[in-house]
Amino acid sequence: MSGVEQNVTDPYLWLEDVTAEAALDWARARNDVVRRRFATTDRFTDLERRILAMLDDDTKIAYPGRRGQWLYNFWRDAEHPRGLWRRTTFESYATDDPEWDVLIDVDALAEADGENWVWSGAAVLRPSQERAIIHLSRGGADATVEREFDMTTRRFIAPEDGGFFLPEAKSRIGWIDADTVYVGTDFGPGSLTDSGYPRIAKRWRRGTELAAAETVFEGKPSDVSIGAGYDRHPGFERHYLHRSTDFYNSEVSLLDNGEWRLLETPTDADVDWYRDWLLVRLKTEWTPAQTTFAPGSLLVTDINDFLAGGREFEVLFAPDPHTSLESWGWTENHLILTTLRDVQTGLRVLTPGPDGWTSSELADSPAMSSTSVNNLDPLEGGDEFMLTTTGFTTPTTLLSSAIGESATILKQAPGYFDAEGIEAEQFFATSDDGTAVPYFVIRHRDRRGTPGPTIMDGYGGFEISRTPAYLGAAGMAWLEKGGTFVMANIRGGGEYGPEWHTAALKEHRHRAFEDFAAVARDLVDRGITTPDRLGAKGGSNGGLLMGVMLTRYPELFGAIVCQVPLLDMRRYHLLLAGASWVAEYGDPDKPEEWAYISEYSPYQNTDPGRQYPPILLATSTRDDRVHPGHARKMAALLESENRTVWYYENIEGGHGGAADNKQAAHLSALVYEFFTQMLMEGRRSA
């Protein structure tokens, strides 16, 4: 038998019981084996210390989030491992030593409450900013507890005193005004979708019971989620409703004279508005009137004309085979576009006027780096914005600017590894169907012409683009030691727009796997590495990618790290948030879709007759997005086949795998110690 077949009782199903003592004991026993093998050397201890020092460094950039006159920041360091939520003014932030006003000390709160609180964000009431709804997670789970906070007194407002409060659930809550919110949560049986997210949106008024909140919309159990919100832009106020029918299709409605009016845009398009401008970014071809627009295009029209039946659009961005639209955002008077050309950033500013839209280049992004636009606040921030620029070996720079002005450096992150002589290059591999697949190679220039130990990282899903970013942990753990690091931009991601993603959806998923394998072969063909010294790592959807590399392409790799993965694709849609990803992978309950999923599902496709490279599987007990049962069961199956497999489960940490900097440093050091032993030292036996 190959793997665990669908018509055979799963012998490891008991490992899906997340908190059962038998399952936890099973995990703890394997954690002990991992720690003894990889976490007891002086090298591991030193690396863990360096990574933790980087994460806790007081001199790293305190990235702000702008809300009107305030810059908010969530900060963790050695003294505050759970973190501080704080704010300051722009003028103070621009100095070398900002004066931070601490709003919530999560460490002190966790101790006072006797809870393992992990910060999950805040919804601040604007424009007054006197109240906030705080999202707190137990142990890093996606589910949160919602508590109202008084920003003036620095105290939580108890429900008995009229404060908004929601018990632990995957809730959605947002302000309408000081005494009213839109809320979606677990209202009781039948109130959640099959994916575990809110199915019902309600309007909840202060001083009333949650059970008395007014229902504004109900979706179907098969929907992914429902959410309502309020656009407070003066003169353009709008109530809106967002219904996700699956992961990639949504319906957006606006409240008009007490009735919800559907925006008749393609359900798979990204829809946005500002003042009276309606923006539509297409994922598939669309012909709203006489003109057909290509996938990846950004269109604009007057929203009132559109609601009245008008279908004339202007093209603000049109893709080409090398260039895609990565993101966009408004200042008060301008629209900024971030584009990718062969995974290299470009920035443009578009300005509406009486004679149409004008376009000009905003700023250059250095080669082998990426630049993002952030802290746009069109309601209270004028035409100001910030830029962050980062590269594989170049620490992040944060700059401040405004339309028509030169950017000035606000903050510069320190470097954490010796980058002297380390260079980044871009290559293209040819996949099985002839598609050119880009990838970046980062290594010391002295490594050119000499095959060496290499770690290859991949994801390839959900239209997520992977762009250059500073390799802090990988730099100190791998590049400094002479290793090579590779980032692959395979299909399923968004590097070349929506068609790069849809090319690997559902029955086409094999293309993402073929792309990654093609890059692995290309690395060998170029003399960069050899199969026995090539490692691969990925998490979540990237963990599925690693599972397929193990079972379908084992001869290409010398070691694999598979983190918080999906692996049992026969049952993924039944576990936690899995049902929400049917639009990405397909529905295994439909025979015609299981037919192609079954071809690659790692848990069903192990082959006792093939040699597999050593693998480290890592997950988290508190991951309530991707069920830890995937990694647990795969480890048990591989053990039964006498594979070289190690398993590590963090008892906290959520989908990120770690709940604080100390846990993150420990996990990162484990991964790189594993690769060092496997690929640099050749110590592959268990």
Side-chain angles (χ1 to χ4, degrees), residues 110-126:
E111 183 176 359
D113 291 349
E115 292 276 10
N116 180 24
W117 289 135
V118 174
W119 180 260
S120 292
V124 177
L125 175 64
R126 296 180 64 179

Side-chain angles (χ1 to χ4, degrees), residues 6-74:
Q6 76 174 100
N7 59 347
V8 176
T9 301
D10 186 346
Y12 307 112
L13 198 63
W14 62 278
L15 288 170
E16 290 184 5
D17 192 342
V18 176
T19 57
E21 277 306 309
L24 289 174
D25 286 345
W26 179 93
R28 293 186 187 106
R30 282 146 186 82
N31 284 355
D32 289 343
V33 173
V34 168
R35 290 192 183 100
R36 286 195 299 270
R37 173 65 185 261
F38 301 108
T40 56
T41 66
D42 291 341
R43 179 174 60 203
F44 171 88
T45 302
D46 181 63
L47 178 58
E48 182 184 38
R49 176 191 57 77
R50 288 183 66 188
I51 295 175
L52 181 59
M54 174 183 69
L55 297 176
D56 284 343
D57 187 1
D58 290 340
T59 68
K60 65 180 183 285
I61 296 176
Y63 293 101
R66 182 169 188 166
R67 295 180 177 98
Q69 73 272 32
W70 294 107
L71 295 180
Y72 289 79
N73 166 258
F74 184 70

Side-chain angles (χ1 to χ4, degrees), residues 273-355:
W273 60 82
Y274 174 65
R275 293 179 177 168
D276 282 335
W277 297 111
L278 174 66
L279 296 180
V280 181
R281 186 257 194 173
L282 299 178
K283 296 185 179 180
T284 51
E285 189 176 87
W286 188 39
T287 307
Q290 303 302 313
T291 304
T292 298
F293 300 103
S297 301
L298 181 67
L299 313 179
V300 66
T301 193
D302 183 278
I303 193 169
N304 297 307
D305 289 345
F306 186 82
L307 289 170
R311 292 297 183 267
E312 296 300 320
F313 284 87
E314 185 173 351
V315 179
L316 296 182
F317 173 84
D320 64 42
H322 294 276
T323 311
S324 66
L325 178 63
E326 176 72 357
S327 62
W328 65 88
W330 289 94
T331 69
E332 183 179 3
N333 301 294
H334 306 270
L335 179 67
I336 299 176
L337 305 185
T338 304
T339 62
L340 291 179
R341 182 169 180 81
D342 288 330
V343 206
Q344 310 277 342
T345 305
L347 299 171
R348 299 197 67 80
V349 58
L350 278 63
T351 306
D355 298 322

Side-chain angles (χ1 to χ4, degrees), residues 281-529:
R281 186 257 194 173
L282 299 178
K283 296 185 179 180
T284 51
E285 189 176 87
W286 188 39
T287 307
Q290 303 302 313
T291 304
T292 298
F293 300 103
S297 301
L298 181 67
L299 313 179
V300 66
T301 193
D302 183 278
I303 193 169
N304 297 307
D305 289 345
F306 186 82
L307 289 170
R311 292 297 183 267
E312 296 300 320
F313 284 87
E314 185 173 351
V315 179
L316 296 182
F317 173 84
D320 64 42
H322 294 276
T323 311
S324 66
L325 178 63
E326 176 72 357
S327 62
W328 65 88
W330 289 94
T331 69
E332 183 179 3
N333 301 294
H334 306 270
L335 179 67
I336 299 176
L337 305 185
T338 304
T339 62
L340 291 179
R341 182 169 180 81
D342 288 330
V343 206
Q344 310 277 342
T345 305
L347 299 171
R348 299 197 67 80
V349 58
L350 278 63
T351 306
D355 298 322
W357 292 73
T358 59
S359 174
S360 60
E361 188 173 325
L362 178 64
D364 286 325
S365 182
M368 301 296 168
S369 69
S370 59
T371 300
S372 60
V373 180
N374 41 58
N375 285 313
L376 296 164
D377 189 353
L379 272 66
E380 299 179 68
D383 289 325
E384 298 176 355
F385 58 92
M386 293 184 189
L387 298 172
T388 54
T389 298
T390 181
F392 295 112
T393 62
T394 307
T396 301
T397 300
L398 178 65
L399 305 99
S400 175
S401 189
I403 301 296
E405 298 180 8
S406 299
T408 57
I409 295 177
L410 271 178
K411 307 289 179 183
Q412 176 73 56
Y416 294 102
F417 66 93
D418 182 5
E420 180 64 31
I422 297 176
E423 301 174 334
E425 303 167 272
Q426 187 181 44
F427 298 102
F428 291 81
T430 302
S431 196
D432 291 5
D433 63 358
T435 299
V437 181
Y439 65 95
F440 292 95
V441 174
I442 304 93
R443 57 181 171 173
H444 196 282
R445 57 174 170 257
D446 292 347
R447 299 300 308 174
R448 290 189 180 187
T450 305
T454 300
I455 296 174
M456 184 179 165
D457 189 84
Y459 186 78
F462 298 93
E463 204 181 341
I464 295 173
S465 302
R466 306 188 72 245
T467 57
Y470 185 64
L471 297 173
M476 64 180 74
W478 194 250
L479 296 174
E480 277 187 356
K481 298 177 180 178
T484 297
F485 192 89
V486 173
M487 186 177 79
N489 300 109
I490 63 177
R491 281 176 288 184
E495 289 86 346
Y496 289 98
E499 291 181 298
W500 195 248
H501 170 233
T502 57
L505 274 184
K506 291 190 172 183
E507 69 268 27
H508 304 303
R509 198 76 198 169
H510 62 92
R511 291 173 178 163
F513 310 141
E514 291 164 1
D515 288 358
F516 197 79
V519 173
R521 295 189 188 100
D522 203 57
L523 290 168
V524 174
D525 291 344
R526 292 181 187 274
I528 293 171
T529 190

Side-chain angles (χ1 to χ4, degrees), residues 166-171 183-194 196-202 210-212 215 218 221:
L166 294 174
E168 186 176 55
K170 293 183 179 179
S171 302
V183 60
T185 189
D186 186 349
F187 296 110
S191 64
L192 300 179
T193 67
D194 295 339
Y197 297 102
R199 186 183 66 82
I200 302 170
K202 297 191 178 189
L210 179 61
T215 297
E218 289 194 32

Side-chain angles (χ1 to χ4, degrees), residues 442-680:
I442 304 93
R443 57 181 171 173
H444 196 282
R445 57 174 170 257
D446 292 347
R447 299 300 308 174
R448 290 189 180 187
T450 305
T454 300
I455 296 174
M456 184 179 165
D457 189 84
Y459 186 78
F462 298 93
E463 204 181 341
I464 295 173
S465 302
R466 306 188 72 245
T467 57
Y470 185 64
L471 297 173
M476 64 180 74
W478 194 250
L479 296 174
E480 277 187 356
K481 298 177 180 178
T484 297
F485 192 89
V486 173
M487 186 177 79
N489 300 109
I490 63 177
R491 281 176 288 184
E495 289 86 346
Y496 289 98
E499 291 181 298
W500 195 248
H501 170 233
T502 57
L505 274 184
K506 291 190 172 183
E507 69 268 27
H508 304 303
R509 198 76 198 169
H510 62 92
R511 291 173 178 163
F513 310 141
E514 291 164 1
D515 288 358
F516 197 79
V519 173
R521 295 189 188 100
D522 203 57
L523 290 168
V524 174
D525 291 344
R526 292 181 187 274
I528 293 171
T529 190
T530 56
D532 63 315
R533 286 180 287 181
L534 176 58
K537 75 180 185 75
S540 190
N541 172 76
L544 170 61
L545 175 68
M546 295 303 105
V548 175
M549 292 304 107
L550 181 79
T551 55
R552 182 174 286 189
Y553 302 99
E555 72 282 354
L556 299 181
F557 302 98
I560 290 176
V561 170
C562 181
Q563 297 176 269
V564 290
L566 292 95
L567 294 167
D568 181 357
M569 300 304 287
R570 186 69 187 87
R571 288 179 51 76
Y572 85 92
H573 63 311
L574 305 176
L575 303 173
L576 299 175
S580 65
W581 309 319
V582 166
E584 179 82 9
Y585 303 116
D587 185 348
D589 285 341
K590 295 179 179 179
E592 68 276 15
E593 297 188 12
W594 173 243
Y596 57 76
I597 298 171
S598 66
E599 290 295 315
Y600 68 78
S601 179
Y603 193 56
Q604 282 76 32
N605 280 283
T606 60
D607 184 350
R610 300 184 73 181
Q611 293 289 324
Y612 287 175
I615 184 170
L616 170 63
L617 287 149
T619 190
S620 167
T621 311
R622 288 291 291 166
D623 188 347
D624 58 352
R625 192 181 313 171
V626 176
H627 198 288
H630 286 278
R632 288 176 177 179
K633 295 196 304 179
M634 190 69 175
L637 175 61
L638 293 173
E639 286 178 358
S640 74
E641 296 179 355
N642 296 315
R643 309 291 189 179
T644 303
V645 53
W646 285 273
Y647 178 86
Y648 180 77
E649 180 172 324
N650 190 19
I651 304 303
E652 300 173 358
H655 190 53
D660 57 33
N661 289 349
K662 186 175 181 180
Q663 292 177 20
H666 184 79
L667 180 59
S668 184
L670 278 178
V671 167
Y672 286 107
E673 175 64 20
F674 170 80
F675 277 131
T676 299
Q677 291 190 25
M678 299 300 112
L679 304 178
M680 289 187 171

